[in-house]
Amino acid sequence: MRIAIINYNMGNLRSVENALKRLSVDAYITSAPDKIMGADAVILPGVGAFADGMYNILSLGLADAIRQASASKPFLGICLGLQLLFEYSMESGKTEGLKIFKGSVEKIPAGVKVPHVGWNSIKITKTGPLFKGIEDGEHFYFVHSYHAVCRDISIVASITHYGVDIVSSIQKGNIFAFQFHPEKSSGSGLKILSNFCDLVMKGKK
Amino acid sequence: MITKRIIPCLDINKGRVVKGIGFVNLKDAGDPVELAAFYDREGADEIVFLDISASHEGRGTVIELASRTAEKVFIPYTIGGGIGSIEDIREILRQGADKISINTSAVKDPQLISRAAKVFGSQCVVIAIDAKKREDWSWEVYIHGGRTPTGLDAVQWAQEAENLGAGEILLTSMDKDGTKDGYDIALTAEISKKVNIPVIASGGAGKLEHLKDAIVEGHADAVLVASIFHYGKYSIKEAKQYLRSQGVDVRI
């Protein structure tokens, strides 16, 4: 089993790679579309600004590979990697995203401190293979100023309260995405990543 | 609900933990990575490494520390001390650190904050402020590890740092640091009230009640703790259970 971690120059790659290494999973960091398509599963991580991320994806010629991977194999988006799956973001002007999901990315409304930094609990709204062994109300590490507003609520797998209800997990078919950082969420986060790897293994058998 | 964070702080000199450590179960309690991994297992919410190496050769060990930590620690960690340029920041983050904290260099060149926030995002830019009480009940910012007064007002500096793009304030009371007699609640509350980014209270923790006071009365979003954990007086679990019993929401 080999997992591709997409490198689009947006940071946080090493943390994801290290977490997978800890789980003894074979992962590689790549910016090559054929290496992404050749993997058993794909992770789109990311820390940084939406517009920079999208610009890098387009200039590296990765948009089609990401869309195809998300349509054909286990796919995991983390933080910015979740937000980029939507139609557009309002972060520093309107920027178009990958449009895999319907909806937008909006600033966390005033009334709470922004960025939303720290450990917050999730309310699971749709159980799935990645939540195996994860209790409702478990805490994960968040750090973000924008959040996804889904037009199709059937894809929402968990919500987290921070001033408003924030979509913290998404699942649609083989696509999983988290607003929090499983790779920085200690044992609970590693459990989610390990569940993802189990799912990939099962798919291979 | 968002929980309040407990953050152990490790002082590092030439790649080694400086303050004495009371744990017996670690292979090498002077190794910052071993100790950070231990705190991860114990339930710490983040780790802060503060490099106090004076020499350049000591500084080189910081990059290695960032990299080794990334392999063994799966909670966020911040590296601070002696960081002066965008290149320094880039290298530390590239190794896997989540945030950097800057102090002296931000005061000397406030635009470093905005440049760092623009390149790497506000979320990884922590501004460390060392503040000392003035006779008129305001607080003055000190730099160079507390040796040099700047004339800057701590509250105004915190607000300016926020405007420039800082993502968090790590606020140390020089009057309270090392006293074990509680955080500076007035300072913490004043700055928490005046900025809309998280404030980490630091300096003065001696017992668990102090953590609660900083959070409840000082409105801190997180508390930085060193000696009371390092010497094994309390465990992180005990601290969190106590806080929860006092109505503070924490991750256990």
Side-chain angles (χ1 to χ4, degrees), chain A residues 14-15 18-19 22 47 112-121 139 141 143 161-162 183-186 190, chain B residues 1-3 5 40 45-46 67 70-72 74-77 94-96 98-99 123 196-198 221 251:
Chain A
R14 287 266 336 256
S15 307
N18 280 319
R22 161 61 73 92
V47 168
V112 287
K113 291 189 175 186
V114 176
H116 172 210
V117 184
W119 296 79
N120 205 332
S121 54
H139 291 93
Y141 189 80
V143 48
H161 195 73
Y162 190 65
E183 77 284 7
K184 287 288 170 182
S185 295
S186 202
L190 292 178
Chain B
M1 201 150 99
I2 186 104
T3 56
R5 289 170 279 158
D40 176 358
D45 295 310
E46 293 184 31
S67 166
E71 290 170 14
K72 293 209 168 150
F74 298 98
I75 53 176
Y77 64 97
R94 209 171 63 86
Q95 298 300 328
D98 297 276
K99 313 177 198 183
Q123 82 288 334
N196 196 41
I197 51 178
D221 299 280
R251 172 183 75 107

Side-chain angles (χ1 to χ4, degrees), chain A residues 4 6-7 30-39 41-44 54 57-58 60-75 85 98 100 174-175:
Chain A
I6 300 177
N7 179 8
T30 181
S31 300
D34 59 324
K35 292 256 175 62
I36 294 170
M37 289 316 295
V42 172
I43 298 181
L44 182 64
M54 204 54 210
I57 284 174
L58 294 174
L60 290 164
L62 293 175
D64 283 342
I66 295 172
R67 285 196 194 96
Q68 282 173 36
S70 71
S72 59
K73 52 185 86 198
F75 185 94
L85 304 179
L98 290 163
I100 291 166
N174 56 296
I175 307 178

Side-chain angles (χ1 to χ4, degrees), chain B residues 38-206:
Chain B
F38 168 79
Y39 279 131
D40 176 358
R41 293 194 297 274
E42 283 273 286
D45 295 310
E46 293 184 31
I47 304 281
V48 168
F49 296 104
L50 191 58
D51 183 51
I52 57 169
S53 307
S55 65
H56 279 286
E57 82 191 274
R59 300 277 317 138
T61 61
V62 171
I63 305 295
E64 197 216 327
L65 170 65
S67 166
R68 284 201 302 129
T69 304
E71 290 170 14
K72 293 209 168 150
V73 175
F74 298 98
I75 53 176
Y77 64 97
T78 304
I79 292 192
I83 294 168
S85 68
I86 291 290
E87 289 322 306
D88 290 349
I89 297 171
R90 188 190 309 279
E91 191 52 30
I92 289 170
L93 295 177
R94 209 171 63 86
Q95 298 300 328
D98 297 276
K99 313 177 198 183
I100 51 85
S101 116
I102 45 179
N103 187 336
T104 304
S105 52
V107 171
K108 287 187 168 169
D109 174 17
Q111 293 309 316
L112 180 61
I113 302 174
S114 47
R115 288 200 304 275
K118 192 167 185 311
V119 179
F120 308 108
S122 289
Q123 82 288 334
C124 64
V125 183
V126 179
I127 299 304
I129 300 177
D130 291 340
K132 196 171 169 103
K133 200 183 279 173
R134 289 192 281 220
E135 281 178 8
D136 64 353
W137 276 84
S138 64
W139 294 269
E140 181 173 357
V141 177
Y142 279 63
I143 55 173
H144 296 131
R147 291 190 300 275
T148 314
T150 63
L152 283 172
D153 177 78
V155 178
Q156 282 172 13
W157 172 233
Q159 289 174 310
E160 190 186 341
E162 177 185 16
N163 291 336
L164 287 167
E168 278 180 285
I169 304 280
L170 168 52
L171 179 63
T172 301
S173 160
M174 292 171 56
D175 306 291
K176 293 290 195 170
D177 203 18
T179 64
K180 292 194 168 58
D181 114 49
Y183 295 87
D184 187 333
I185 301 300
L187 168 68
T188 308
E190 185 64 15
I191 290 191
S192 286
K193 232 186 315 177
K194 294 282 172 65
V195 297
N196 196 41
I197 51 178
V199 173
I200 305 163
S202 159

